[in-house]
Amino acid sequence: MREIKFRAWEEKARARFDNATAVYRHMPVGMLTNLFQKLSSRNKLKGYGTLPFTLGEFQTWAMSSDEFLRLFNLWVTDDYSKKSKPSVDRINPYRGYEFRNMQWLSWNENYLKGIAEVCEKKYKPVAMFKDGIEVGKFKSVKDAQYFLGLKSNGDITMALQGKRNTVKGYTFVYENPELLEAEK
């Protein structure tokens, strides 16, 4: 069954692209080799060092994955659309590429997940106090803004920066400030 798929993929790539390099990059081995190079570069760039697996181990991992094969087939069927291309996602965005932290998603699914993760990373939990007594906790300044019915979060941000004492009679501090400092 797999051999039939591989032949069909090769025929489609040869019909679609007119040079050998393009055909190679649109076959599983070529696509995975190119992806491996990108993962390796990204892992180093983000400070996680060299990949803990070889190109051969990566290709074996991918080719034994039904999800990779499904996504690759979808990519071919979708005429090699960028949005459908198989993509490796780091399940935990705070860790590097390692098999136990990797899953297959389409490029578009991975892109949308990345946007959500960036938004989530920007959340800095804050605590709200009245006369020195904690009266509320919020996962972000934005949530505190909505709670107080403010048009913007500028006043709360100024209070957190020490440029303002109170907002509607409340003081604010970042929750777990030592964790926030460690991120910098």
Side-chain angles (χ1 to χ4, degrees):
M1 181 67 165
R2 278 190 178 183
E3 196 172 312
I4 294 169
K5 267 188 185 178
F6 281 95
R7 266 189 272 143
W9 291 339
E10 185 174 357
E11 288 172 15
K12 175 107 182 209
R14 287 187 187 286
R16 176 80 162 74
F17 303 100
D18 54 1
N19 71 55
T21 302
V23 171
Y24 175 75
R25 288 185 178 161
H26 291 85
M27 291 296 299
V29 172
M31 186 239 131
L32 290 169
T33 300
N34 193 27
L35 182 56
F36 177 83
Q37 297 303 323
K38 290 177 182 176
L39 297 181
S40 179
S41 173
R42 199 172 298 130
N43 217 51
K44 288 177 188 169
L45 183 70
K46 293 193 175 283
Y48 299 117
T50 58
L51 292 174
F53 48 84
T54 66
L55 171 60
E57 290 167 335
F58 176 66
Q59 289 173 334
T60 300
W61 174 76
M63 297 307 289
S64 64
S65 166
D66 290 337
E67 186 61 11
F68 168 74
L69 295 172
R70 184 189 75 76
L71 286 168
F72 192 89
N73 195 51
L74 176 65
W75 182 49
V76 172
T77 303
D78 201 20
D79 201 29
Y80 307 102
S81 163
K82 179 180 179 177
K83 288 183 175 188
S84 301
K85 189 173 186 176
S87 172
V88 173
D89 169 59
R90 289 177 299 134
I91 298 165
N92 178 344
Y94 298 100
R95 291 181 36 210
Y97 290 101
E98 50 193 58
F99 291 137
R100 67 178 183 263
N101 190 41
M102 293 168 25
Q103 66 181 345
W104 288 104
L105 296 176
S106 70
W107 181 91
N108 196 55
E109 290 169 321
N110 203 354
Y111 173 75
L112 294 173
K113 182 177 182 258
I115 289 172
E117 287 168 352
V118 166
C119 290
E120 195 171 298
K121 282 181 186 178
K122 289 183 179 178
Y123 291 148
K124 294 181 180 179
V126 295
M128 182 172 73
F129 294 84
K130 181 78 167 182
D131 301 323
I133 299 168
E134 186 176 300
V135 293
K137 288 183 182 181
F138 304 93
K139 70 178 181 182
S140 69
V141 173
K142 198 73 154 160
D143 287 352
Q145 169 204 332
Y146 290 139
F147 177 80
L148 292 176
L150 301 172
K151 289 183 180 178
S152 79
N153 59 19
D155 289 343
I156 296 172
T157 300
M158 287 175 65
L160 288 164
Q161 294 170 343
K163 296 177 182 175
R164 184 183 174 121
N165 292 331
T166 64
V167 178
K168 290 194 168 187
Y170 298 100
T171 56
F172 292 87
V173 295
Y174 285 113
E175 188 81 352
N176 302 327
E178 65 281 353
L179 295 176
L180 293 173
E181 290 301 315
E183 288 180 6
K184 292 180 181 175

